[in-house]
Amino acid sequence: MSLSSVCSAIAVLTTALVVALSHSVEGSEPPQAFEPVGFLMRTNYHGWTNSILVSNGRVEAVIVPAIARVMQFHFAGEEDGPFWENRELDGKMPDPESKEWSNFGGDKAWPAPQSDWPKMTPRPWPPPVAFDSMPAEARVDGFVVNLISPVDPHYGIRADRRIKLELDRPAMTITTTYEKVSGRPLQISIWAITQLKDPLAACASLPDFERFRDGYYRQSDELPANLKVANGLLCLTRDPKSSHKVGSDAGTLFWVGQEAVLRIDSPRRLLGEYPDEGCSAEIYTNPDPLAYVELEMLGPLNKMVIGDKITRTSTYTLSRRTESDPELEVRRLLCH
């Protein structure tokens, strides 16, 4: 199942708002309930100046243009959230010339398939520079933030990520657009990667008619720990000793933590060719000492020539845990 995206504007707050509730007196009307109020502010986030904190009063997102990532997404008024962040790299800037990957964490977008990187760039790893290791320009329109990358020198593509919090629910939408600006034609897919803390479980909601016989496509030598597929739901846990990855044709992924659940929806299109043998969703688990998982959403492959644009939207919904069993928690959310 997937959630419907509801496009709505966030209430504009340009100055501090103080609401005084009147004391109840005989004959007066009862006090009115006030909805949460949103705000946007510039901040220094762990050493990255000119970062942006945006809130709708229910949830908040931290956007760091210096490293072109959404670094955190948490409940309003809290400092911690489900996104994994590499504290050892706090305040550091990406280096497009580095042969080592700066694994900052957070949420980002790369070009897929990864198997094409060696054909397009001088190196198979780290990722293409403008998608991962160059600062982005932040443009703010009300409470919508656009992160706009430089044009990648090898792909000839500019990435624009439009980040918006929904007005009336604990949800964030990120709409990623790739624009072909220069270079030869190519076939490409939008690949959104969210790095998250070590979960109790990571799950994928599988469609009624699965593309893969076992419900998944194995992308590592060994299968992830505690992999289970039953009644349309794939669940797994992180192995602290080695990395694992599986793909699927899901359009909804879940991260289940001790107290919260993050749901990511990016519905699969009925038509179109997908990368990685037809995968629209992938789950990667990383070994210690960097204890994180990745929930990854992929769009269909598109042939792009100069002037073309492709777009993919993911919706991130944060909720409190109500069930003791992670699988029951996910199934409860799928029923809503």
Side-chain angles (χ1 to χ4, degrees), residues 33-318:
F34 289 91
E35 286 295 314
V37 178
F39 64 88
L40 183 148
M41 62 181 290
R42 302 279 181 171
T43 184
N44 183 320
Y45 187 71
H46 295 295
W48 289 296
T49 58
N50 210 31
S51 297
I52 298 169
L53 172 66
V54 60
S55 174
N56 67 358
R58 293 176 170 87
V59 288
E60 297 171 350
V62 180
I63 302 160
V64 183
I67 54 175
R69 284 160 168 77
V70 179
M71 283 301 287
Q72 196 52 261
F73 179 56
H74 52 66
F75 291 112
E78 299 183 4
E79 294 185 359
D80 202 13
F83 285 17
W84 178 79
E85 302 176 63
N86 190 348
R87 292 272 79 93
E88 293 185 0
L89 297 182
D90 278 358
K92 295 185 178 180
M93 296 296 291
D95 178 7
E97 302 298 326
S98 175
K99 296 181 180 180
E100 300 295 327
W101 181 42
S102 295
N103 187 4
F104 292 104
D107 183 281
K108 54 197 167 290
W110 292 345
Q114 186 175 345
S115 58
D116 280 354
W117 291 0
K119 306 173 190 175
M120 301 295 300
T121 71
R123 61 190 190 187
W125 186 259
V129 292
F131 292 91
D132 187 81
S133 55
M134 298 177 74
E137 177 190 359
R139 296 180 184 175
V140 178
D141 182 8
F143 286 98
V144 177
V145 179
N146 283 69
L147 281 182
I148 303 171
S149 79
V151 177
D152 187 83
H154 305 293
Y155 275 83
I157 286 176
R158 177 188 294 116
D160 182 347
R161 309 200 75 204
R162 182 176 184 267
I163 302 138
K164 184 183 76 168
L165 300 186
E166 299 294 340
L167 174 65
D168 57 354
R169 59 195 183 101
M172 168 178 67
T173 59
I174 301 180
T175 299
T176 302
T177 300
Y178 288 174
E179 179 185 4
K180 181 67 171 167
V181 176
S182 62
R184 60 184 174 85
L186 53 78
Q187 193 173 44
I188 192 172
S189 163
I190 295 175
W191 179 15
I193 303 102
T194 311
Q195 291 180 289
L196 298 149
K197 296 172 182 176
D198 191 8
L200 296 180
C203 303
S205 175
L206 303 176
D208 293 336
F209 301 99
E210 300 169 15
R211 176 184 179 89
F212 304 104
R213 183 182 63 182
D214 297 320
Y216 57 84
Y217 171 62
R218 182 188 296 194
Q219 295 178 287
S220 54
D221 292 338
E222 300 295 331
L223 290 172
N226 302 312
L227 177 65
K228 176 185 175 183
V229 179
N231 300 320
L233 192 65
L234 177 153
C235 291
L236 55 87
T237 59
R238 188 185 71 89
D239 182 351
K241 296 182 180 180
S242 59
S243 63
H244 303 283
K245 190 171 186 179
V246 293
S248 72
D249 53 357
T252 300
L253 296 175
F254 291 89
W255 172 92
V256 185
Q258 292 284 352
E259 299 179 354
V261 182
L262 178 69
R263 171 175 177 161
I264 305 178
D265 288 286
S266 188
R268 183 185 176 104
R269 296 179 186 172
L270 294 177
L271 301 177
E273 178 187 359
Y274 279 76
D276 300 347
E277 302 299 326
C279 293
S280 53
E282 298 171 350
I283 301 175
Y284 166 80
T285 68
N286 200 66
D288 290 345
L290 302 182
Y292 68 84
V293 300
E294 293 178 353
L295 300 190
E296 307 173 5
M297 288 296 196
L298 301 100
L301 290 161
N302 293 267
K303 185 175 181 179
M304 297 188 72
V305 299
I306 293 175
D308 284 349
K309 293 182 180 181
I310 59 173
T311 299
R312 190 74 177 161
T313 298
S314 294
T315 301
Y316 305 68
T317 306
L318 194 59

Side-chain angles (χ1 to χ4, degrees), residues 3-35:
L3 294 175
S4 299
S5 269
V6 180
C7 295
S8 53
I10 295 175
V12 175
L13 182 68
T14 56
T15 58
L17 178 64
V18 179
V19 178
L21 296 178
S22 300
H23 294 287
S24 297
V25 295
E26 184 176 356
S28 65
E29 294 184 359
Q32 299 296 310
F34 289 91
E35 286 295 314

